[in-house]
Amino acid sequence: MRADDASLSALMSKAQAGDREAYRAVLEHSRDWLVRFYRGRIDPAGADDLVQETLMSIHAKRATYDPSRPFLPWLAAIARYRWVDRLRRTYRRSETELDETLAEGDHEADVVARISIDRMLARLSEGQGEAIRLVKIEGLSIAEASRRTGQSVSLVKVNIHRGLRKLAEHVESE
Amino acid sequence: MSKANSVMNVSSADRIDDLVVSLAPVRRVRKRTGLLVVAAATLLAIALSAPVFGLRPDLAAMNPAEIVLLRSGALLLTGIAAALAVTASASPGVGSRREGWRWALGAMLLFPAASGLLILGGAPYPLEILAASSVPYCIGISLSSALAIGGLLTAWLRRGAVTELRRAGWLTGLAAGALGTFVYNLGCPSNSVHYVALWYGISVGSAALAGRLMVPPLLRW
């Protein structure tokens, strides 16, 4: 992992100088990493969009990467920011109904990739975490989440609102 | 980026092709540039306010009162520590948060703590500070300087990739408020710790609150 990070850091430094081959390598590696990072943490239908949005953010914000620092923490911060933003936007669009539930059969690598986002989720209260997992990640409706958790409909909404706010405050926390 | 504006119906491979084609060299966002912006804005505020409102005579004579040294140091430390933290946030990274500003803010809070302890100890509260003629200047110079410093800092931060917007808003306001109040402090005629606790506290606190309310929408990306 360290060797990967070191080579990615060097490639990104070249990309900042305009090296397109290096940049392609960075983006392709980042895409694969993001697919693992987001798997199980976003509704499957939105996962590819989120990966692409994050790639666009990497592009727009590439000047903010400092080659003297590791690459993956920078990528993870951008990925977390886009993830929280995505959850907030779908919330504002008012409970998009999703039929899919979580894809099963995650690989061991996915578990590793989940740690970063799970650490953020661990900062939430039990009620907030449960509401966000069910509605924002598994795609249940507010009413379904209310029945599943025993929380009232308004409490589910409050827990989502407060939970998202807390997530946004801890994008860079370990 | 025009092709990259929508994520609909484009494969990630096509997206990467688009981004690679549109790659251009970039100048890195460096923290020290942000700090230079803050320093330049603070010096500009001093340069503009000092000729109009004047410096304290003891400062002009290079022999400042103890309270001036203490409050200047606390304000500078708070402003610099907050500016360091927020400029670092322009280049994000999980686990790279800087929290040294909390200690500097703690040093600044010694003034209201001292004021409160003196009152609790039975010392008479100098009621004249509530309606001192310098108060409008204190608030006016502090907040207008803070607005200039905070505005320039925010403009610089927009080049970055701030991921914790509320924190950045607080820190931008705190840095601007502390440094803006530092600008006023150079001409402030009061030597009262109660004055510092009340009016400096209001200036710094309101600037931090304004930063919290105004800055995050400007940094969203």
Side-chain angles (χ1 to χ4, degrees), chain A residues 8 12 15-16 23 25-34 38 50-65 71-72 74-82, chain B residues 1 15-16 19 23 26 92 161 221:
Chain A
L8 281 169
M12 189 62 180
Q16 287 176 322
Y23 192 43
V26 167
L27 290 178
E28 289 178 347
H29 187 96
S30 298
R31 175 192 56 198
D32 297 343
W33 189 89
L34 290 167
Y38 288 137
L50 183 56
V51 167
Q52 291 196 40
E53 285 175 11
T54 309
L55 290 173
M56 291 160 66
S57 290
I58 291 169
H59 182 77
K61 297 298 182 182
R62 64 191 185 280
T64 69
Y65 174 63
F71 178 77
L72 288 179
W74 177 80
L75 177 61
I78 289 180
R80 281 177 166 194
Y81 179 82
R82 284 272 73 97
Chain B
M1 278 294 286
R15 175 75 55 206
I16 288 174
L19 296 178
L23 180 70
V26 287
W221 48 280

Side-chain angles (χ1 to χ4, degrees), chain B residues 79-107:
Chain B
I80 291 170
L84 278 169
V86 77
T87 51
S89 73
S91 182
V94 172
S96 66
R97 260 181 172 188
R98 289 167 186 257
E99 303 292 8
W101 62 273
R102 293 175 190 268
W103 294 100
L105 181 61

Side-chain angles (χ1 to χ4, degrees), chain B:
Chain B
M1 278 294 286
S2 58
K3 286 183 182 175
N5 282 337
S6 167
V7 296
M8 300 299 291
N9 302 321
V10 178
S11 74
S12 61
D14 291 340
R15 175 75 55 206
I16 288 174
D17 287 342
D18 282 352
L19 296 178
V20 169
V21 166
S22 63
L23 180 70
V26 287
R27 282 179 56 188
R28 280 195 6 237
V29 174
R30 294 174 192 270
K31 185 177 69 177
R32 69 167 180 245
T33 309
L35 293 174
L36 283 173
V37 166
V38 171
T42 305
L43 291 174
L44 181 66
I46 293 172
L48 290 176
S49 67
V52 179
F53 299 103
L55 286 178
R56 284 174 59 102
D58 56 352
L59 260 183
M62 302 294 280
N63 184 28
E66 291 93 338
I67 183 78
V68 178
L69 289 175
L70 287 172
R71 72 194 189 199
S72 296
L75 287 165
L76 271 180
L77 274 178
T78 305
I80 291 170
L84 278 169
V86 77
T87 51
S89 73
S91 182
V94 172
S96 66
R97 260 181 172 188
R98 289 167 186 257
E99 303 292 8
W101 62 273
R102 293 175 190 268
W103 294 100
L105 181 61
M108 192 68 228
L109 291 175
L110 288 176
F111 288 93
S115 174
L117 285 173
L118 287 171
I119 294 167
L120 286 175
Y125 190 77
L127 292 171
E128 65 272 14
I129 67 166
L130 298 178
S133 61
S134 62
V135 169
Y137 296 101
C138 173
I139 302 295
I141 296 172
S142 298
L143 292 187
S144 55
S145 299
L147 184 64
I149 297 165
L152 288 170
L153 176 56
T154 303
W156 179 82
L157 282 171
R158 283 167 58 84
R159 291 188 57 221
V162 176
T163 58
E164 295 176 350
L165 304 178
R166 282 157 53 102
R167 176 177 179 274
W170 280 119
L171 287 175
T172 300
L174 179 61
L179 294 172
T181 307
F182 170 78
V183 171
Y184 168 71
N185 134 84
L186 300 177
C188 175
S190 176
N191 285 340
S192 165
V193 71
H194 300 290
Y195 187 98
V196 173
L198 178 64
W199 295 115
Y200 287 24
I202 287 176
S203 295
V204 176
S206 52
L209 182 62
R212 160 65 189 91
L213 296 175
M214 296 164 62
V215 171
L218 299 172
L219 298 184
R220 196 173 296 285
W221 48 280

